Amino acid sequence: MPYYRSVGEVPRKRHTQFRQPDGSLYAEELMGQEGFSSDSSLLYHRAMPTAIVAAEAFDPPAWTRTPNRPLKPRHLRTHKLDTAGADPVLGRAHLLANDDVRISYVTADRPSPLYRNAVGDECLYVESGSLRVESTFGLLEASAGDYVIIPTSVIHRLVPTGDEPVRLLAIEATGHIGPPKRYLSVRGQFLEHAPYCERDIRGPSEPLLSEGSDVEVLVQHRRGWTRHVYASHPFDVVGWDGHLYPWAFSIHDFEPITGRVHQPPPVHQTFQGPNFVICSFVPRKVDYHPLSIPVPYNHHNVDSDELLFYTGGNYEARRGSGIEQGSMSLHPSGFTHGPQPGAAERSIGIDYFDELAVMVDTFRPLDLCDAALSCEDTGYAWTWSGRTKA
């Protein structure tokens, strides 16, 4: 993370004696990235964070991936997926994946188990509803429009709140997710041209202390899944400080960058991950050159697949293609994509787009998972020609 936080009780000097009321030492845990050479935080536990009493292999719900063959654009209708009664971790319907990232969708109405993703960071986008993110770092509330970044190996639980199930887009990386480097100074401060800044970021503000013994935690790791049983509850941290922690940022706080003519997708970039980027398309004033065409031009990103998740408003470039709330469009490398027929002419004279979408561009091709095929609109690829498949 680009800035320092201190929550709860911490000693004045790190790695010095810090004692509990009974005189025993609090147990330090340094959680850090890239082998002591990148962001880290120092947590103080009541009990030993290393004390497990059991470990056994765990089999998560099965899933498969297959190449996007024949190569064609795809339209996935996530609201057609049956994930009712699911939890926000094990209930995820995996849609698309490659060796860098996996993209899933879930409608959840009950808490997840305690969970640790030891493969990479997760970015959760809340389409609707609300949830509570409980972790060793404390409590974080999230609602519609929020991105939540959960760093690698943070033990946490996702708890839907409110009267309606929470709908989540889950982006699981094989590395770390953070703001684009071009938005940050050499010391990690957001620069003046960045479309969001430290004031827009929310992190835990106080410890979350829980009691318990023989507590189960599911761990996703590079060789599968394991169920650990901890001697005492991992939510026993009385304080922490550092630059590494779960955090939230609302898409509604993203400040759009506009121009006289159509601006390319990099102006919408919000996060970067290993071999992928995440962008936010938000309501905004659009092109103001007198001869501008506000919708995108036909384009072919020869090095990347483009996934767009439509999460609100009206998307002018896709009118007439069947795109709706909760739709995902996949436009793969090897295919030139662009607005639907007539969209360019219709957009002339429009000065404002009321649209909300999350885009993931990957630099390795995305494979299709079983859930994607189950909710695909198979006629989407032919909507530019106005024909049905021959």
Side-chain angles (χ1 to χ4, degrees):
M1 267 308 299
Y3 72 102
Y4 170 86
R5 293 179 74 92
S6 180
V7 170
E9 301 176 67
V10 297
R12 192 189 71 81
K13 192 80 172 172
R14 61 183 178 179
H15 312 317
T16 59
Q17 296 177 33
F18 182 33
R19 297 191 178 275
Q20 305 192 45
D22 65 2
S24 62
L25 289 171
Y26 286 109
E28 283 185 308
E29 178 192 7
L30 180 70
M31 177 172 279
Q33 299 172 342
E34 300 178 14
F36 298 90
S37 61
S38 188
D39 294 347
S40 66
S41 284
L42 192 57
L43 301 91
Y44 294 87
H45 292 263
R46 289 173 171 171
M48 297 295 289
T50 50
I52 59 173
V53 298
E56 61 182 19
F58 175 80
D59 293 323
W63 65 286
T64 61
R65 19 181 295 209
T66 57
N68 183 5
R69 293 181 58 195
L71 184 74
K72 65 175 183 176
R74 310 269 180 168
H75 171 204
L76 313 180
R77 289 179 161 143
T78 62
H79 287 193
K80 302 292 185 183
L81 292 167
D82 182 13
T83 59
D87 78 64
V89 171
L90 296 179
R92 294 175 187 175
H94 304 317
L95 297 170
L96 301 152
N98 61 24
D99 290 342
D100 304 311
V101 64
R102 181 171 66 186
I103 299 162
S104 310
Y105 187 83
V106 64
T107 305
D109 58 6
R110 58 189 176 91
S112 75
L114 288 173
Y115 167 63
R116 164 180 269 172
N117 185 338
V119 177
D121 293 359
E122 294 191 357
C123 174
L124 308 177
Y125 177 78
V126 184
E127 181 193 354
S128 63
S130 59
L131 80 160
R132 192 168 66 242
V133 182
E134 302 173 351
S135 77
T136 46
F137 290 84
L139 182 65
L140 193 58
E141 302 281 357
S143 57
D146 278 341
Y147 292 104
V148 179
I149 307 296
I150 302 175
T152 309
S153 281
V154 170
I155 297 177
H156 65 280
R157 173 169 50 210
L158 303 175
V159 182
T161 55
D163 298 328
E164 299 295 328
V166 62
R167 291 182 174 271
L168 293 176
L169 176 71
I171 302 167
E172 301 173 43
T174 56
H176 304 307
I177 300 172
K181 290 182 180 179
R182 70 178 185 276
Y183 294 168
L184 306 175
S185 74
V186 294
R187 295 177 180 82
Q189 182 180 4
F190 279 98
L191 297 170
E192 281 295 300
H193 68 267
Y196 61 103
C197 72
E198 290 86 352
R199 295 185 188 183
D200 300 316
I201 289 171
R202 313 191 311 274
S205 58
E206 59 185 26
L208 176 64
L209 297 172
S210 298
E211 301 290 339
S213 59
D214 296 340
V215 178
E216 294 186 356
V217 176
L218 296 183
V219 183
Q220 181 182 189
H221 51 92
R222 289 177 173 82
R223 291 294 181 264
W225 288 61
T226 294
R227 179 189 286 113
H228 283 158
V229 180
Y230 281 79
S232 58
H233 204 294
F235 295 172
D236 67 343
V237 173
V238 298
W240 61 269
D241 73 334
H243 292 249
L244 181 71
Y245 46 86
W247 54 283
F249 163 70
S250 174
I251 196 171
H252 303 298
D253 286 328
F254 185 90
E255 298 300 330
I257 298 169
T258 62
R260 294 182 71 226
V261 296
H262 187 80
Q263 298 298 293
V267 303
H268 306 287
Q269 188 179 353
T270 312
F271 308 110
Q272 65 180 30
N275 290 318
F276 71 89
V277 299
I278 301 172
C279 300
S280 302
F281 291 82
V282 301
R284 63 195 182 279
K285 182 177 178 61
V286 290
D287 320 342
Y288 33 90
H289 186 284
L291 298 178
S292 67
I293 302 174
V295 299
Y297 35 80
N298 296 310
H299 53 288
H300 184 185
N301 302 329
V302 299
D303 292 319
S304 62
D305 282 10
E306 177 195 281
L307 176 72
L308 206 55
F309 177 64
Y310 303 87
T311 182
N314 301 303
Y315 205 77
E316 290 294 332
R318 290 283 168 261
R319 192 193 306 179
S321 65
I323 295 294
E324 58 194 2
Q325 176 74 26
S327 286
M328 286 185 183
S329 63
L330 173 63
H331 297 142
S333 174
F335 171 76
T336 300
H337 62 279
Q340 301 303 130
E345 192 70 44
R346 286 196 304 269
S347 73
I348 293 173
I350 292 176
D351 61 2
Y352 185 81
F353 279 175
D354 181 19
E355 64 186 22
L356 201 61
V358 175
M359 187 173 80
V360 183
D361 270 10
T362 67
F363 295 98
R364 284 199 263 198
L366 286 165
D367 291 337
L368 303 167
C369 305
D370 296 339
L373 297 173
S374 75
C375 68
E376 183 183 7
D377 169 13
T378 56
Y380 177 70
W382 330 120
T383 55
W384 286 270
S385 66
R387 301 182 185 181
T388 57
K389 183 180 177 182

